[in-house]
Amino acid sequence: MSFQDKVVIVTGASSGIGAATAIKFAEEGANVALVGRKQEKLNNVAKKCGNPLIIAADVSNDEDAKRIIEETIKRFGKIDVLVNNAGIGGVTKILDEGVIKVFDQIMNTNLRSAVVLTHLAAPHLVKTKGNIINISSVAAYRVTRGYSAYSTSKAGMDHFTRAVALELAPHGVRVNVINPGPVKTDIIENMGATKEAADAAFDNLLKATALSRVSDSEEIADLVLFTSSEKSKAITGSSIVTDNGMLLKLSDFTPVDL
């Protein structure tokens, strides 16, 4: 899958799925714009991406979102692929005093930022008949106690993807969403957990999958590249689950012996 001379924006590119995706696109010849909040981490990823554009930005800030698109166009002259990957987690309990503030933070980062960036990038993607890949989660399908905001943001991402895919299809722009199950990234530590606690959480998540494994970021990146390539030219508006059978395992409940 060659992306020679294609221009790709990857948000949340400083670590995890975003970093792996940016690196794989660069390996396939793409010009990559790395977007993230942590400059030092972006610099480390950039070393594996040839000569990328590094944009330190907060995607939930509208002015930063505009700057992401403007700097990409100024540097590369076009946009072929937008990967809306930036996301945060957080516990939200509806009876807690500060729940609305946390809810807003999660929704603004995980969903609203994708809407804003899609709006800003869409005219450029129409010109190139490009692709949008949104990174969601199996949390869009199943809720977990204490994670109502995260699940809601991901369910919203899925539905937004389908709506925009329908709207942009006449312009030759494809829009898809990928729904990973557990992936070994730093998202749990970013929520304030220690490394030991995060490792324990991933061990528990492994047990919740039918295949008894947790994915690595490169697996999701491979799927991003496939879905945005010509090999997937008939796919748009699709939610693609890659969860090691987690949803199957969660559904594997028999109330009586059969």
Side-chain angles (χ1 to χ4, degrees):
M1 292 180 292
S2 174
F3 287 89
Q4 192 67 41
D5 299 325
K6 299 292 187 181
V7 176
V8 182
I9 297 174
V10 182
T11 68
S14 59
S15 64
I17 293 171
T21 299
I23 291 167
K24 284 187 178 289
F25 268 118
E27 289 173 348
E28 295 295 331
N31 296 307
V32 183
L34 304 173
V35 180
R37 289 180 295 177
K38 298 179 180 179
Q39 183 75 52
E40 185 177 352
K41 285 189 173 183
L42 286 174
N43 291 342
N44 290 333
V45 176
K47 295 173 184 177
K48 302 177 183 178
C49 293
N51 185 29
L53 172 62
I54 302 173
I55 306 174
D58 179 354
V59 294
S60 68
N61 181 293
D62 286 1
E63 291 304 312
D64 278 7
K66 291 178 184 177
R67 181 165 57 85
I68 290 165
I69 303 303
E70 289 170 355
E71 290 189 15
T72 301
I73 294 299
K74 182 178 179 181
R75 169 76 174 271
F76 298 122
K78 64 173 182 171
I79 301 170
D80 294 285
V81 182
L82 170 65
V83 182
N84 286 310
N85 167 73
I88 58 174
V91 176
T92 47
K93 297 180 180 179
I94 204 65
L95 293 175
D96 286 355
E97 184 67 27
V99 66
I100 300 304
K101 181 179 179 181
V102 179
F103 206 100
D104 284 345
Q105 289 173 340
I106 292 171
M107 293 295 289
N108 286 341
T109 301
N110 293 8
L111 179 57
R112 187 180 182 278
S113 69
V115 176
V116 173
L117 283 169
T118 298
H119 166 66
L120 295 172
H124 303 286
L125 291 165
V126 167
K127 292 177 183 178
T128 59
K129 297 189 182 303
N131 279 270
I132 301 171
I133 306 293
N134 295 322
I135 305 301
S136 181
S137 167
V138 291
Y141 294 88
R142 293 289 296 264
V143 297
T144 301
R145 185 181 295 110
Y147 291 90
S148 58
Y150 183 78
S151 296
T152 300
S153 71
K154 296 305 184 180
M157 178 74 96
D158 284 16
H159 221 45
F160 172 70
T161 297
R162 289 184 282 270
V164 175
L166 183 62
E167 187 174 344
L168 293 180
H171 301 283
V173 177
R174 296 189 296 110
V175 189
N176 291 290
V177 61
I178 293 174
N179 300 75
V183 181
K184 194 70 179 292
T185 69
D186 57 1
I187 188 170
I188 296 177
E189 289 180 65
N190 289 340
M191 291 167 58
T194 64
K195 185 180 185 307
E196 291 73 19
D199 288 342
F202 280 117
D203 286 341
N204 286 331
L205 287 168
L206 180 150
K207 298 171 186 175
T209 69
L211 294 178
S212 297
R213 66 184 301 274
V214 170
S215 291
D216 58 45
S217 296
E218 286 72 20
E219 294 172 43
I220 313 305
D222 284 336
L223 191 53
V224 172
L225 266 69
F226 175 77
T227 309
S228 56
S229 76
E230 281 298 301
K231 293 181 182 292
S232 299
K233 59 187 176 184
I235 301 175
T236 195
S238 292
S239 301
I240 304 169
V241 173
T242 172
D243 70 341
N244 292 296
M246 187 177 198
L247 292 177
L248 292 175
K249 187 72 175 284
L250 291 172
S251 300
D252 185 21
F253 172 71
T254 305
V256 295
D257 291 333
L258 297 178

